[in-house]
Amino acid sequence: MRYHARPVDGPLAGEVTVPGDKSLSHRAVLFSAMAEGTSALTGVLDSADVRSTIEAVRALGARVETARVGGGLDIGVVGWGASGPLAPGGPVDCGNSGTTARLLMGVLAGWDVEVTLTGDESLSRRPMARVTAPLERMGAAFTMAEGDRLPVTVHGGPLAPIDYELPVASAQVKTAVLLAGTRAPGRTLVREPAPCRDHTERLLPLFGVPVGTDAVERTAWVDGPVVPRAAHYDVPGDPSSAAFLVAAALMVSGSDIVLPRVALNPTRIGFLRVLERMGADITVDLAVIDPEPVGTLRVRSGATLAATIVTPDEVPSLIDEVPVLAIVASMAEGTTRFAGVGELRVKESDRLEALAEGLRALGGRVRSGDDWLEVEGPVRLAGGAVDSRGDHRLAMAYAVAGLAATDTVSIDRFEAVDVSYPTFTEDLAALGVGGALR
Ligand code: S3P
């Protein structure tokens, strides 16, 4: 499906509640499936990725009932608890979702089951050894397709705890090891090279699993064996989805938008810190910590933005926002450098290469290397045709580019937005932005 993002003729204005956070939705569903008892979840993101997790835990024996309420999902989950997951009738399809595949490996590693995980073309290109390596050290076995790609068959069994230093800053790997640790007798500890999203550390205790953390040492640990208990959880809005609306408002002069109920976890909002550093006018109003910080964002355009340097240490806190930040950087004065962003090459597409190509096609001035990207501004982007490469975050970043371009930006394979933000164009429309699908 092709989407035509047309230059807007007026500012963005109004209030929009973005859908539930994707990382938290995956975790809430998985932890509920692992738990003893019936969990009640509200505000769960209704997107293709989260549907992959829901179908996966159903296939593994959790009973899941969903109801569409106010744009999100209310979900009741009867978990498998101490009796463990059932062998599914066939392969479990993780669709486009890396989080589903990688977290499930940790969930299944400690149970006496054999489960084959498959994924779509994009997910089948993404590396899995980063997860299977520590889980193998704990005692699980895996058979993999050529290389370290899906399909992967998990041969679960008794596990031993480990003390593991993550070779990549990845919350997915950290979470997989901690979840496997709930099945291993003793302390399973992970050490991360840079601070990654800590949703698992915050959410598992709500499900009755204490998690120790040391911010200075950058460690997190669980003491197993422990069976999660059912919980109630209301998922707040996704900051990564909000980032597209924030950027859209900044790109169009005179804009003034309000986004309530956004998750404001410090490990997720690096993009706000970067935009503030560039001079953007963003007010953050923290409302509660439950166990995630949640609050309201107000964004007003008008300030002249200046280029900045995004350092490797802050990359995990904005990893999914690099595409849209690169679009904003094209209108900032000077050269914005994203350093240490090699992980972008193994996301839903090679985002580093794709971004450089897409921005160039729209008249942007871009340079890139193995693990860095530079965007020079200010440049008024032009219209043109770009391909999302089936990558949701690229599709939405290009749509934002189109709002302030000199002409229409046509985006191929725009349906990819369903992976994380199916109501993206509706939310833009609520803020006064038109566009067309064909
Ligand atoms: C996620 C972690 C990040 C992120 C992904 C979701 C998670 O991936 O890019 O969209 O929910 O843990 P990595 O852990 O591979 O960096």
Side-chain angles (χ1 to χ4, degrees):
M1 180 205 299
R2 180 174 291 172
Y3 178 75
H4 301 285
R6 306 226 158 82
V8 287
D9 44 19
L12 278 69
E15 184 175 309
V16 159
T17 305
V18 296
D21 184 72
K22 182 158 81 70
S23 290
L24 287 167
S25 296
H26 283 300
R27 284 164 175 75
V29 172
L30 285 171
F31 301 172
S32 299
M34 295 165 70
E36 197 70 56
T38 305
S39 294
L41 311 175
T42 49
V44 175
L45 171 65
D46 187 5
S47 81
D49 261 21
V50 178
R51 292 266 176 192
S52 294
T53 291
I54 292 172
E55 290 314 318
V57 299
R58 272 191 179 133
L60 293 164
R63 288 215 312 278
V64 187
E65 275 173 26
T66 62
R68 176 104 185 163
V69 177
L73 292 175
D74 281 6
I75 305 190
V77 184
V78 184
W80 53 69
S83 43
L86 301 174
V92 170
D93 181 6
C94 302
N96 189 248
S97 176
T99 310
T100 308
R102 293 184 176 134
L103 268 51
L104 270 178
M105 289 178 196
V107 170
L108 297 169
W111 294 99
D112 184 19
V113 282
E114 221 164 78
V115 181
T116 300
L117 305 175
T118 61
D120 71 4
E121 201 197 319
S122 150
L123 186 55
S124 304
R125 281 195 303 264
R126 298 179 65 186
M128 294 295 152
R130 54 180 59 194
V131 183
T132 58
L135 298 178
E136 273 171 351
R137 273 184 45 193
M138 295 176 79
F142 297 87
T143 36
M144 297 204 236
E146 215 171 296
D148 66 348
R149 309 298 194 241
L150 293 183
V152 167
T153 302
V154 187
H155 310 272
L159 300 180
I162 48 168
D163 183 321
Y164 190 67
E165 186 151 350
L166 299 173
V168 275
S170 163
Q172 293 178 352
V173 181
K174 171 171 69 173
T175 301
V177 175
L178 290 175
L179 293 181
T182 64
R183 295 285 298 154
R187 177 160 295 183
T188 293
L189 181 143
V190 289
R191 202 177 301 273
E192 52 190 4
C196 300
R197 63 192 69 195
D198 63 357
H199 301 307
T200 299
E201 295 91 310
R202 288 173 185 265
L203 208 55
L204 260 186
L206 197 73
F207 287 82
V209 179
V211 182
T213 56
D214 181 330
V216 178
E217 295 288 320
R218 289 183 183 156
T219 53
W221 61 89
V222 293
D223 293 317
V226 52
V227 179
R229 276 196 320 265
H232 290 198
Y233 185 57
D234 185 32
V235 180
D238 195 324
S240 298
S241 297
F244 295 103
L245 306 183
V246 169
L250 292 174
M251 300 285 287
V252 181
S253 70
S255 295
D256 184 353
I257 67 164
V258 174
L259 308 173
R261 258 196 99 253
V262 179
L264 296 172
N265 184 316
T267 62
R268 291 287 301 282
I269 54 169
F271 75 98
L272 288 178
R273 293 188 286 266
V274 166
L275 290 171
E276 280 169 353
R277 208 153 78 210
M278 295 171 81
D281 181 355
I282 302 173
T283 321
V284 179
D285 187 7
L286 186 68
V288 286
I289 299 184
D290 181 31
E292 294 278 337
V294 180
T296 299
L297 298 177
R298 180 170 183 191
V299 187
R300 279 169 283 199
S301 64
T304 307
L305 301 184
T308 189
I309 294 175
V310 176
T311 62
D313 227 39
E314 61 187 343
V315 165
S317 72
L318 49 73
I319 185 72
D320 295 335
E321 287 67 65
V322 174
V324 79
L325 284 174
I327 302 293
V328 176
S330 69
M331 62 178 273
E333 300 261 357
T335 300
T336 296
R337 182 175 169 88
F338 298 89
V341 289
E343 269 297 290
L344 291 182
R345 295 202 181 272
V346 289
K347 292 293 178 188
E348 286 81 331
S349 68
D350 178 343
R351 280 187 186 152
L352 199 48
E353 183 199 282
L355 246 186
E357 185 187 295
L359 257 170
R360 237 173 250 131
L362 301 177
R365 288 208 289 273
V366 196
R367 285 178 296 276
S368 61
D370 254 12
D371 71 343
W372 58 269
L373 180 77
E374 281 181 359
V375 182
E376 207 182 308
V379 169
R380 174 100 194 261
L381 295 175
V386 285
D387 182 1
S388 77
R389 300 200 187 191
D391 183 328
H392 54 131
R393 306 231 186 256
L394 291 178
M396 290 184 277
Y398 294 141
V400 169
L403 304 181
T406 55
D407 209 340
T408 301
V409 172
S410 299
I411 306 151
D412 270 339
R413 290 195 269 174
F414 191 74
E415 65 280 0
V417 301
D418 290 346
V419 159
S420 65
Y421 196 173
T423 54
F424 173 63
T425 56
E426 285 162 46
D427 286 356
L428 274 182
L431 298 173
V433 175
L437 297 168
R438 193 177 68 206

